[in-house]
Amino acid sequence: MAGRADGEVDRVLDAGMDRLHEVVGRNLSDDPALRQLTEEASTGAQLPSERTKLRVLLALEQAHDSDTGFAVDLQRAVEHLCSLAPPPDAPPSGDHIVFQHNTFHGPVQAKGVQHIHHGGDAP
């Protein structure tokens, strides 16, 4: 059951990210900063360079300030993604454990390999 729930969460997040990508791409498709960001992402970089982040931020701010339709679309896409995040006080899920005062809260899932050796047959 948890696997299907995780799959549904992933699907919803992917759809939200696709929506954000479409809004930004539609409005900044010719911007050199967005092309640079796309190029950096295609190399497998986990994060863009600081310069690229700044250039994209400035391009987004410019588009936001000059195009009210883009501003509304961008705000809606971002708000939708933010609504998908768990509240800060939500209990952890999956294989995360929170320890507080010698107790833990949240589901526990064990992962790994256990080696048990008995008496004389130990290596």
Side-chain angles (χ1 to χ4, degrees):
M1 179 76 112
R4 287 196 302 184
D6 285 346
E8 181 62 18
V9 169
D10 290 345
R11 187 191 66 73
V12 170
L13 285 173
D14 286 346
M17 289 301 295
D18 288 346
R19 178 178 172 198
L20 180 62
H21 183 265
E22 188 273 325
V23 167
V24 171
R26 182 178 66 228
N27 289 278
L28 297 180
S29 61
D30 295 330
D31 194 286
L34 187 60
R35 284 196 304 270
Q36 179 64 30
L37 180 66
T38 302
E39 185 177 312
E40 288 181 23
S42 71
T43 67
Q46 293 295 312
L47 296 171
S49 69
E50 289 300 317
R51 182 176 181 175
T52 299
K53 285 194 302 189
L54 178 60
R55 291 177 68 206
V56 170
L57 176 62
L58 292 172
L60 285 169
E61 287 177 351
Q62 176 64 36
H64 182 275
D65 293 346
S66 63
D67 183 346
T68 56
F70 172 69
V72 169
D73 290 346
L74 182 63
Q75 182 174 346
R76 286 181 181 159
V78 169
E79 285 174 352
H80 175 71
L81 280 172
C82 290
S83 74
L84 300 175
D89 59 345
S93 62
D95 57 357
H96 301 282
I97 302 172
V98 176
F99 290 93
Q100 294 176 339
H101 309 290
N102 297 328
T103 61
F104 65 89
H105 305 278
V108 177
Q109 177 181 357
K111 294 181 181 178
V113 177
Q114 182 177 6
H115 298 281
I116 300 174
H117 301 280
H118 297 281
D121 54 329

